[in-house]
Amino acid sequence: MIGNHRTTIIASHFVVVIVVMMTVGLSKGPEMEPEELVTRHLNAIGDTETREGIQSRIVRGVGRFEVVVGGAGQLEGAASILSQGNKLRLSIDFNHLNYSAERITFDGEECYVGNIEPGVRSQLGNFFYQYDDLIKEGLLGGVLSTAWPLANIEDRGPKLDYRGLKKINDLELLELRYRMKKGGRDFTINLYFDPQTFYHIASIYKLRISARMGRSPEASARQRETRLTLEEWFDDFQTRQGLELPSRWTIRFTIEGNRGTSVAKWDMAFDRALHNMSINPQLFVLE
């Protein structure tokens, strides 16, 4: 009886060890090289022939702006993304006295950011005006843009680091650290993918800016570093002419610094997507 009892205990411990090992393995996510994750992601969008046959894309819908922290206000207007090759144009027309429209474009060489009123840019616009490498790299808009860099890894040449499963906003997602070959400054760029579908779910960009020197030691001690966090979230994937594309795109921009914390977001819902339409090159330039 004693021997049988001991055997039962050992067997139970063995089962526990196996369960723990399985749990740890699942928490880390599937083992793979970054290139395999990229391949699975691209195949989730559509087959190679269909993807490579797309030269331009136009998506249209409705955009909504909201101040979440640090103020109040909501606006709504027509939204669109135009892309051709590595060119991009994001437009949201609010037609408001203090926020006429959001316009961010890239013509393949230069980025342009429109004013929301004479001489004034939005927080989002000012961010991309200062840090346009994210647009030039093709990251903004994810797979909604033909400039999406993961579809052109050979030319972009980024350094990729697959980091397994991470819990982000209560979601278990596969994390891919992205480092630009050129530019990017001190940004931390993480891309997140659904572990089952391999859809691109989110991009999170973080930047820390050192505190400024004050006019006195006491003033310097009161200064805080500024933390900028830009998040892109993609949802409601639908089949559009043979490609799986998100119909919801949310941009969330957080600033933490001496003046406290401010959070604003831009929600876009797209109900139309057209491929290989002719796009006037002048639309990628803001006068």
Side-chain angles (χ1 to χ4, degrees), residues 186-212:
D186 297 321
F187 273 98
T188 298
I189 302 173
N190 289 325
L191 311 180
Y192 295 93
F193 303 83
D194 185 287
Q196 277 76 47
T197 64
F198 293 97
Y199 291 160
H200 172 232
I201 302 299
S203 298
I204 299 180
Y205 318 93
K206 293 186 177 183
L207 178 66
R208 291 187 175 188
I209 303 173
S210 299
R212 295 180 178 180

Side-chain angles (χ1 to χ4, degrees), residues 76-88:
E76 189 173 292
S80 65
I81 305 173
L82 281 62
S83 59
Q84 183 171 2
N86 66 343
K87 300 176 182 179
L88 176 75

Side-chain angles (χ1 to χ4, degrees), residues 72-120:
Q74 297 180 359
L75 293 172
E76 189 173 292
S80 65
I81 305 173
L82 281 62
S83 59
Q84 183 171 2
N86 66 343
K87 300 176 182 179
L88 176 75
R89 177 187 176 97
L90 167 62
S91 301
I92 313 176
D93 295 300
F94 296 118
N95 298 316
H96 188 274
L97 180 64
N98 301 120
Y99 199 162
S100 58
E102 194 68 73
R103 300 248 194 277
I104 300 171
T105 70
F106 177 54
D107 66 359
E109 296 291 336
E110 298 292 334
C111 287
Y112 304 85
V113 178
N115 293 331
I116 60 174
E117 59 179 296
V120 179

